Amino acid sequence: MSLRVGAHASIAGGVDNAIDEQREYSGNCGQIFSHSPQVWQDPNIGDDEAEKFREGAAEYDLGPWVIHSSYLVNLCTPKDDLREKSVDSMQKEVDAAAKLDVDYVNVHLGAHTGAGVDGGLDNAASALDELDVPDGVTVLIESDAGSGTKLGGDFEHLATVMERTDQDLEVCLDTAHMFAAGYDLSTPTAVDETLAEFDDVVGADDLACVHLNDSKHECGTNKDEHAHVGEGLIGADGMRAFVNHDLIRDVPLVLETPTENGKSFAWNVERVKELRE
């Protein structure tokens, strides 16, 4: 499979604008929010812009695409009202994905806030069971940096939710989150060991997408702050080993890198292409 790498694109002015933005980055896959991720809000995607998005993605061979769910969604919560809002929000996201012919909806498991790890994972699995996921759409659970009571930082958390739910889930690994959670990626040996552990615990066959981000903080700090590819504490050697690893080569890579120091998504897309051997 040829390299699939792109970035998170804005839908300002209409979701179809994400197509042109992705092309400006020289990306060939990508991610969007269907609305502001900081508030409870329903996707508001018109039929015309949805058609333009679908046509543009097909015309320029841009895909797969991912919708990233709202940051407010908490599948692990023991609170009934927050659970209800989270499930409702996720249902609207998977329906929006179907409307756009988007393959994936990505979600963080959330925080158990006192329910305990096992209780939180149970809550997440049962919340996901409430979704009516349209054909052609898959929910991805994302690895987390693991601060506080947030779950998903441990590969076992991802595997447990996948075992306990009836949904056919897949996984999105975030390199900065993995690193923050204590999975070293800074050397070729560390990459081999971390991905072997992921394959053993979760299964590489269920890896559908990677958020490719370097980290501004040391391994195991639980601090989630992204850096330009190869310029953070994972570094060029780790990133090169990761993007060329046998378990990763056919997986689409989506950048959530910062825009700073004169470098933006376009720079990072080109950097990934340079690292790919």
Side-chain angles (χ1 to χ4, degrees), residues 10 19 26 33-34 42 67-68 71 73 78 80 88 105 108 120 136 163 170 176 186 198 222 264:
S10 171
I19 299 296
S26 298
F33 292 121
S34 68
D42 293 345
I67 291 177
H68 195 300
Y71 292 140
V73 168
D80 291 341
D88 179 67
V105 172
H108 296 267
E163 290 165 3
E170 293 186 320
S186 62
F198 173 78
N222 302 120
S264 61

Side-chain angles (χ1 to χ4, degrees), residues 183-203:
Y183 294 103
D184 192 7
L185 295 169
S186 62
T187 67
T189 298
V191 169
D192 285 342
E193 292 174 351
T194 291
L195 290 178
E197 183 174 351
F198 173 78
D199 190 25
D200 183 58
V201 175
V202 179

Side-chain angles (χ1 to χ4, degrees), residues 17-39:
N17 288 341
I19 299 296
D20 289 337
E21 186 172 319
Q22 196 63 245
R23 294 182 67 215
E24 289 175 9
Y25 302 148
S26 298
N28 57 10
C29 65
Q31 179 176 271
I32 58 171
F33 292 121
S34 68
H35 57 84
S36 170
Q38 308 285 1
V39 296

Side-chain angles (χ1 to χ4, degrees), residues 150-246:
K150 290 181 179 179
L151 301 180
D154 192 316
F155 292 157
E156 290 284 358
H157 296 169
L158 305 176
T160 298
V161 171
M162 295 174 76
E163 290 165 3
R164 293 182 182 178
T165 183
D166 292 330
Q167 295 286 1
D168 188 14
L169 304 176
E170 293 186 320
V171 172
C172 174
L173 286 178
D174 185 307
T175 50
H177 295 174
M178 293 162 65
F179 194 67
Y183 294 103
D184 192 7
L185 295 169
S186 62
T187 67
T189 298
V191 169
D192 285 342
E193 292 174 351
T194 291
L195 290 178
E197 183 174 351
F198 173 78
D199 190 25
D200 183 58
V201 175
V202 179
D205 289 346
D206 290 318
L207 179 59
C209 180
V210 166
H211 286 166
L212 192 72
N213 304 300
D214 213 322
S215 175
K216 291 186 177 181
H217 300 282
E218 297 281 356
C219 183
T221 59
N222 302 120
K223 293 182 178 180
D224 176 18
E225 192 174 3
H226 299 175
H228 295 302
V229 171
E231 299 205 340
L233 292 171
I234 295 176
D237 288 347
M239 281 292 181
R240 181 181 294 106
F242 187 88
V243 301
N244 289 293
H245 195 280
D246 287 346

Side-chain angles (χ1 to χ4, degrees), residues 81-101:
D81 57 341
L82 179 53
R83 177 190 174 94
E84 183 178 350
K85 287 182 178 180
S86 297
V87 171
D88 179 67
S89 179
M90 282 296 295
Q91 185 62 54
K92 290 181 170 65
E93 299 286 26
V94 295
D95 291 341
K99 183 172 186 175
L100 295 171
D101 285 346

Side-chain angles (χ1 to χ4, degrees), residues 3 29 44 46 82 86 117 132 152 156 176 242 249 253 256 269:
L3 174 63
C29 65
N44 183 22
L82 179 53
S86 297
V117 172
D132 181 12
E156 290 284 358
F242 187 88
R249 289 191 67 86
L253 310 173
E256 299 172 324
V269 168

